[in-house]
Amino acid sequence: MPMPAYVRNGRFDVLAANDPGRALYSPLYDHAAAHTPGRPPNSARFCFLDPVATEFFVDYDKAANDCVAFLRSAVGSDPYDKDLSDLVGELSTRSQDFGRRWAAHDVRYHRAGHKRFHHPLVGDLELDYEAFELSGDLGQRINIYTAPPDSAAEEALNLLVSWTARETATGALSAAVPDHSKD
């Protein structure tokens, strides 16, 4: 069974995703289509500027803290990245929550962990993830999600993957979840 996976940069722009990854993160793609058409989905913007994020990320505080800590790490690695500075400035001015968390000066870099989602189609999912740095593309990483064998999450993920395969075959998923991987 294909596992959800996506590639993102240090600014949290989702550059590419497989079909299960796009289906898992469909609320992120919906946010991008509504608020930043023509640009890649950005999970930091979604996290702090879309109220749906607090429902989608079951452990929202952890997701938000991890996002800010990773952005701080990215700024430390490349303090002259104008796009990154612009993103931090945008989030600071548009989200008091982001500004409060940014002021904590937390810096962390996670390569593996556990995330809980509340997906609008399949309900609750508890997934493990691992992130791999792409050595040929500095600052890019691929995140891959897996469910424990014989778990409710595996069953829900199988349902999501089968829905994705069925919808992709009919073309409906392409219309519902735009592909920004070529942006």
Side-chain angles (χ1 to χ4, degrees):
M1 169 181 67
M3 294 291 107
Y6 67 86
V7 175
R8 73 167 174 82
N9 61 22
R11 293 182 302 274
F12 284 83
D13 292 328
V14 176
L15 305 174
N18 64 3
D19 287 338
R22 288 168 37 111
L24 175 62
Y25 275 91
S26 59
L28 166 69
Y29 282 87
D30 293 343
H31 173 83
H35 301 286
T36 57
R39 292 171 55 186
N42 182 284
S43 54
R45 279 188 188 96
F46 172 69
C47 186
F48 289 102
L49 303 179
D50 192 325
V52 169
T54 60
E55 297 168 23
F56 180 66
F57 296 114
V58 173
D59 302 312
Y60 175 78
D61 283 331
K62 181 179 181 332
N65 287 336
D66 289 350
C67 178
V68 170
F70 188 87
L71 284 173
R72 273 211 170 272
S73 177
V75 166
S77 297
D78 191 358
Y80 302 106
D81 182 335
K82 181 179 177 344
D83 292 333
L84 181 57
S85 296
D86 289 348
L87 175 64
V88 170
E90 174 189 356
L91 294 175
S92 295
T93 59
R94 294 184 62 200
S95 170
Q96 286 183 320
D97 184 33
F98 178 86
R100 180 180 52 79
R101 292 171 198 269
W102 185 260
H105 297 281
D106 189 16
V107 178
R108 275 179 286 154
Y109 187 79
H110 299 281
R111 288 188 173 88
H114 184 77
K115 283 191 180 179
R116 297 186 316 148
F117 304 92
H118 181 77
H119 194 277
L121 292 175
V122 296
D124 292 337
L125 293 160
E126 293 189 34
L127 303 175
D128 296 317
Y129 72 91
E130 191 149 358
F132 303 93
E133 297 300 316
L134 301 178
S135 60
D137 293 304
L138 188 62
Q140 293 184 9
R141 63 192 269 176
I142 185 168
N143 287 20
I144 300 171
Y145 292 87
T146 59
D150 301 320
S151 66
E154 182 183 51
E155 187 176 315
L157 196 53
N158 284 336
L159 179 61
L160 186 60
V161 168
S162 68
W163 172 79
T164 301
R166 185 173 47 256
E167 294 298 313
T168 299
T170 64
L173 182 61
S174 297
V177 184
D179 180 5
H180 293 285
S181 63
K182 295 172 183 73
D183 293 344

